[in-house]
Amino acid sequence: MKRNIFVVALEAQQREELKTLRHSEEFEVHSLLSVKDAVEAPSFSFDALLNEARRKLDAFDGSVDAIVAQWDFPTSVMVPILCQERGIPAPSVESVLKCEHKYWSRLEQQKVIPEVVPEFCAVDPFADDPLAQVTLDYPFWIKPVKAFSSHLGFKIENEAQFHEAIKEIREGIRQLGDPFNEALRHVELPPEIRQMDGNSCIAEQIVSGAQGAPEGTVFHGEFNVHGIIAQPNSVSKDIPYDRLEYPSNLPERVHRQMIDVSRRFLEHIGYDNGCFNAEFMWDEATDKLWLIEFNTRISQSHSEIFIMVDGMSNHEVAVDIAFGERPSMANRQGIAAVAAKCYIPYEHRDGIVKRVPSEAEVQAICERFPGTKVRLDVEPGMRLGDLMHQDSFSYRLGTLYVAGEDHEEIEQRYKACLEALQFEIEPIG
């Protein structure tokens, strides 16, 4: 009898990726909740989504053998709750929230890995004088303790910018803060977190450098990293990170330090029977490593490039753990020595899409650079400002997957693809 795997917000692309897993013919893959409801909803209730997922699982005529998370909140918190209710291996909800809540996570990080933690402080955006709570010098970042990507994240260089940012944050923070508060009610919170709930902010020291992200697992207390992703400095001076490369080409000693820091923190918070990826910043000039954040899941953003290099999606380890089996990945059995997920950026203000690259133009690029895939997120008539989960500093028009023999070839092909893909966008305002 085939085992049943439920993936929250499963897309057609990920259904194909799951076919690369070992013994994929021995299980059936099902989508639990839609992308529209679990990822793209402009407003939602965490508990309502959780109950809808429960109803769908209860109504399923068969065994529920695995539930897999591949997206950020709410999925990342919902899946451990569902797994624990059904006896499926998963990390504790408290350990997940100690990563998901940016301020709570920094407090825990400071206890065990203070050498990689930037300066930070909590800010209540609804206080009478939020600026009085800031203990950092200008410039600094301010962002909600829970946000999508860089949404509502601002670089603050002076008092006027701070007050303008607070105004925007007050208008938009409850969109995610209110449902995050619902999730926080599923655990006993320490007093300092009850005071700084999902509608709070964190101000942080600005750090810079090349970004690296170990992705791995903890299973029955055994810590393992199956790959390290790099985010090199951008080909554009205005957009800090515009591609993910695998495997990382950062120095090996930096890899070892990232892995050691990740292990110590996850052990400290009691994180077990789950997947993770940890984002770091390495400043080469000062040889200083900074921790950005921990994510409590595999990253679906990494799946395609794992397949291109290793021949297998990182969904493998998430499914292994859910089945109660020791997680493992294939290694270097793919089509490329190096692969990259590259964003197609638009660095200007809001606008209406008038033209996107034609199918013939896309096909010509794929033939010119074997292994390349192009996925567009826009079409004529769309307004950029309506796109979901965009960064504060740019829009993403789509994604390129690029294969190469080395990192230099990846960068060359990425630049060539950007030059060949022609968009026309009519600015607004």
Side-chain angles (χ1 to χ4, degrees):
M1 182 179 295
K2 289 188 175 183
R3 292 190 281 188
N4 296 293
I5 300 171
F6 286 81
V7 182
V8 177
L10 180 69
E11 295 181 308
Q13 171 186 341
Q14 286 129 23
R15 188 177 291 278
E16 290 301 309
E17 291 166 355
L18 282 157
K19 292 179 181 178
T20 67
L21 273 55
R22 299 185 187 99
H23 313 302
S24 60
E25 71 282 356
E26 297 178 6
F27 53 74
E28 294 284 349
V29 179
H30 311 270
S31 182
L32 179 62
L33 305 178
S34 67
V35 174
K36 181 179 179 181
D37 289 339
V39 181
E40 297 178 347
S43 61
F44 65 94
S45 160
F46 176 82
D47 287 334
L49 270 182
L50 179 63
N51 288 330
E52 178 63 17
R54 286 168 172 154
R55 284 192 291 270
K56 290 183 179 295
L57 293 172
D58 289 342
F60 180 69
D61 185 20
S63 61
V64 178
D65 301 293
I67 308 173
V68 173
Q70 58 176 3
W71 298 98
D72 286 326
F73 182 79
T75 300
S76 53
V77 182
M78 183 165 45
V79 167
I81 295 173
L82 295 171
C83 286
Q84 289 182 8
E85 291 174 349
R86 294 178 172 270
I88 297 170
S92 70
V93 180
E94 180 177 315
S95 68
V96 168
L97 288 169
K98 284 181 178 179
C99 297
E100 294 281 337
H101 189 299
K102 294 182 188 298
Y103 180 60
W104 194 2
S105 192
R106 286 300 195 205
L107 292 177
E108 295 299 325
Q109 293 162 22
Q110 204 171 45
K111 295 175 183 178
V112 67
I113 49 171
E115 70 275 12
V116 296
V117 180
E119 293 182 27
F120 68 95
C121 65
V123 178
D124 177 1
F126 297 101
D128 292 337
D129 184 9
L131 187 58
Q133 303 170 65
V134 177
T135 59
L136 308 179
D137 295 330
Y138 297 113
F140 58 84
W141 289 108
I142 188 168
K143 52 193 170 184
V145 297
K146 174 51 60 183
F148 290 121
S149 189
S150 296
H151 182 58
L152 294 182
F154 300 93
K155 181 180 180 181
I156 306 299
E157 296 177 316
N158 54 55
E159 183 175 344
Q161 288 183 359
F162 178 85
H163 291 304
E164 187 61 32
I166 288 294
K167 180 181 177 182
E168 284 196 49
I169 288 169
R170 285 173 171 171
E171 291 174 354
I173 194 171
R174 294 192 185 278
Q175 178 184 4
L176 205 56
D178 285 348
F180 191 52
N181 280 338
E182 294 178 47
L184 291 173
R185 286 194 283 270
H186 286 262
V187 299
E188 184 67 30
L189 298 175
E192 62 269 29
I193 303 305
R194 288 199 296 270
Q195 294 174 2
M196 288 295 169
D197 66 4
N199 290 315
S200 302
C201 291
I202 183 170
E204 292 193 332
Q205 170 190 355
I206 293 177
V207 298
S208 61
Q211 198 159 343
E215 183 172 293
T217 55
V218 186
F219 179 68
H220 292 178
E222 180 183 352
F223 174 92
N224 184 63
V225 168
H226 53 255
I228 300 179
I229 310 295
Q231 291 186 313
N233 288 328
S234 173
V235 297
S236 164
K237 62 180 175 61
D238 296 320
I239 302 177
Y241 306 112
D242 53 9
R243 70 189 188 276
L244 308 173
E245 292 186 0
Y246 176 65
S248 165
N249 63 342
L250 294 176
E252 185 59 32
R253 59 183 174 78
V254 177
H255 289 169
R256 289 196 298 269
Q257 187 181 2
M258 290 190 294
I259 291 170
D260 176 64
V261 164
S262 299
R263 177 188 56 79
R264 285 191 283 143
F265 178 69
L266 293 175
E267 286 180 356
H268 167 71
I269 63 171
Y271 188 85
D272 198 7
N273 296 322
C275 304
F276 74 90
N277 64 85
E279 299 176 20
F280 291 87
M281 192 89 74
W282 176 59
D283 187 336
E284 183 176 7
T286 61
D287 194 23
K288 177 66 176 177
L289 187 69
W290 298 103
L291 172 63
I292 307 304
E293 65 180 4
F294 277 89
N295 299 301
T296 55
R297 53 175 174 77
I298 63 162
S299 174
Q300 49 82 27
S301 290
H302 300 166
S303 299
E304 190 69 31
I305 54 180
F306 272 115
I307 293 172
M308 294 168 76
V309 174
D310 290 334
M312 177 182 289
S313 172
N314 54 349
H315 287 89
E316 173 71 27
V317 292
V319 171
D320 285 344
I321 290 176
F323 285 165
E325 300 169 357
R326 187 174 184 270
S328 65
M329 284 275 292
N331 185 258
R332 307 303 188 261
Q333 296 180 24
I335 63 168
V338 181
K341 177 179 181 178
C342 308
Y343 299 112
I344 304 172
Y346 181 72
E347 305 169 30
H348 308 287
R349 64 182 60 182
D350 195 5
I352 302 295
V353 179
K354 294 298 184 181
R355 180 190 186 276
V356 300
S358 66
E359 290 187 14
E361 291 169 336
V362 169
Q363 183 62 31
I365 290 174
C366 295
E367 291 175 358
R368 180 181 172 190
F369 303 122
T372 299
K373 297 179 182 178
V374 181
R375 298 194 172 107
L376 302 181
D377 294 333
V378 297
E379 57 187 34
M382 291 181 64
R383 178 173 177 170
L384 298 182
D386 293 336
L387 295 174
M388 293 291 294
H389 305 156
Q390 299 295 302
D391 291 324
S392 302
F393 42 78
S394 70
Y395 294 99
R396 291 173 178 173
L397 306 182
T399 306
L400 294 162
Y401 294 91
V402 181
E405 291 299 316
D406 53 40
H407 294 269
E408 289 73 21
E409 186 171 55
I410 291 288
E411 181 163 357
Q412 292 167 4
R413 290 186 172 187
Y414 180 25
K415 289 180 179 178
C417 289
L418 290 182
E419 292 171 358
L421 291 170
Q422 295 299 309
F423 294 83
E424 292 181 9
I425 296 174
E426 181 180 291
I428 295 176

